[in-house]
Amino acid sequence: MTTSSLAQRLRQPGIVVAPGCHDALGARIYQQAGFEAVYMTGNGLSASLLGAPDIGLLGMSEMVERGRAFAAAVDVPVIADADTGYGNLNNVVRTVRSYEAAGVQAIHLEDQVTPKKCGAMKGLALVSKEEHAEKIRIAVATRKSADFLIIGRSDARIPLGLDEAIARGQAYAAAGADLVLLEMLQSEEEMRRALSAIDAPLMFNAVDGKTPPMNAAQFERLGFRLLSFPISATLAYTHMMQRLAEHIRATGSAFGVPSGSVTIADYESVLGPANIEFANVNSQ
């Protein structure tokens, strides 16, 4: 499988849209829909694997293995949530090496304390910008290839305000981050301020109900280079499962769900079973 390079693509004009999902099936569907990259959501993985909120319960090895599965399932770049790097500087070194070896092409490291919370939650606690900038420096120094991208993420906007979020973005850019992600910017004016003040390409996570309901063309006009909708797929999946559960409970059947479903043939076409080769094992 030949995978395209996210680093090379970002040097070309136009925004890259990398919608988020919590499994390799979703990644394949996004690729087949024509997206140039996919995003592996930590929030959605915590929900799908543990049935639990995103409060730092998943460890580095669990996340890396899912990243490996994503990268093996698609030939577009995979961008992954790497939380806080899962600990101190030594943990960051291991995190970078592991994700890069798994075939993931970019990770973002956030400046929360460990264990972290979803950036949309209340009560976020952050480390100093100096401490996180050092994590970014170590991450950049650790990677084997410059095409493995380090995204410096700050969750400071909600607990500490826009000025502090921008200051942190500047510090992470100065530390060598290939892109900067400021979570939860609340208006186009805030976005313009961040874009003009930070000397690095910016990524944006568009979160349903938490950030302005803008589309890719609007983000591109402002100057963002990378856009994700990190938990939209998981929210849609939750809605679908609730409707399916209600229908089975009410009718005693899984057939005829009002929201509809794909056929087995369509499902198999997504998975591509004809492309999988099975070895013949001859028993003695």
Side-chain angles (χ1 to χ4, degrees):
M1 180 180 292
T2 300
T3 303
S4 56
S5 168
L6 179 62
Q8 292 178 11
R9 172 61 184 85
L10 287 171
R11 289 191 284 270
Q12 300 169 3
I15 195 169
V16 175
V17 180
C21 54
H22 58 255
D23 57 21
L25 174 60
R28 286 185 67 87
I29 290 170
Y30 281 142
Q31 175 180 292
Q32 291 169 10
F35 289 100
E36 298 179 273
V38 297
Y39 174 83
M40 187 183 83
T41 162
N43 185 305
L45 279 171
S46 186
S48 63
L49 293 177
L50 305 177
D54 185 13
I55 53 174
L57 298 176
L58 288 175
M60 186 273 291
S61 296
E62 293 170 301
M63 291 290 289
V64 168
E65 283 310 304
R66 272 64 195 181
R68 190 186 310 278
F70 273 47
V74 297
D75 55 12
V76 297
V78 175
I79 303 155
D81 185 348
D83 292 332
T84 64
Y86 306 100
N88 62 20
L89 297 179
N90 293 326
N91 298 102
V92 170
V93 169
R94 183 172 181 238
T95 295
V96 169
R97 288 175 176 169
S98 298
Y99 268 113
E100 187 171 13
V104 169
Q105 290 202 28
I107 59 172
H108 62 68
L109 297 167
E110 62 201 57
D111 53 8
Q112 291 189 44
V113 300
T114 301
K116 51 70 62 86
K117 294 181 179 180
C118 171
M121 291 180 177
K122 296 180 180 179
L124 301 184
L126 277 60
V127 300
S128 70
K129 65 175 178 289
E130 292 78 14
E131 179 178 340
H132 195 63
E134 186 61 20
K135 284 187 174 182
I136 299 299
R137 278 189 285 270
I138 289 295
V140 171
T142 297
R143 64 186 176 186
K144 291 183 177 180
S145 170
D147 281 351
F148 181 76
L149 304 181
I150 305 299
I151 303 168
R153 167 175 158 170
S154 178
D155 286 276
R157 168 61 188 90
I158 298 302
L160 301 177
L162 178 62
D163 289 344
E164 178 63 17
I166 289 175
R168 285 169 177 257
Q170 292 170 329
Y172 307 156
D178 299 290
L179 297 99
V180 168
L181 166 60
L182 302 186
E183 280 286 280
M184 300 296 148
L185 296 179
Q186 296 296 292
S187 67
E188 288 190 40
E189 178 56 32
E190 291 191 0
M191 296 175 200
R192 290 190 185 93
R193 284 188 56 190
L195 286 158
S196 64
I198 298 172
D199 188 19
L202 262 62
M203 174 182 178
F204 195 87
N205 270 350
V207 179
D208 308 55
K210 296 291 184 178
T211 60
M214 297 162 53
N215 61 35
Q218 292 172 302
F219 283 110
E220 182 173 13
R221 283 195 293 271
L222 287 172
F224 286 96
R225 300 293 292 116
L226 181 60
L227 171 65
S228 181
F229 300 91
I231 63 170
S232 296
T234 305
L235 296 178
Y237 171 81
T238 302
H239 176 77
M240 178 275 297
M241 284 298 297
Q242 288 175 335
R243 301 292 82 76
L244 176 62
E246 291 167 357
H247 179 76
I248 296 175
R249 182 68 176 172
T251 68
S253 172
F255 304 122
V257 181
S259 58
S261 63
V262 300
T263 65
I264 291 293
D266 288 341
Y267 170 68
E268 290 179 345
S269 73
V270 171
L271 300 178
N275 297 324
I276 298 176
E277 297 180 0
F278 294 94
N280 291 320
V281 179
N282 296 319
S283 59
Q284 298 294 329

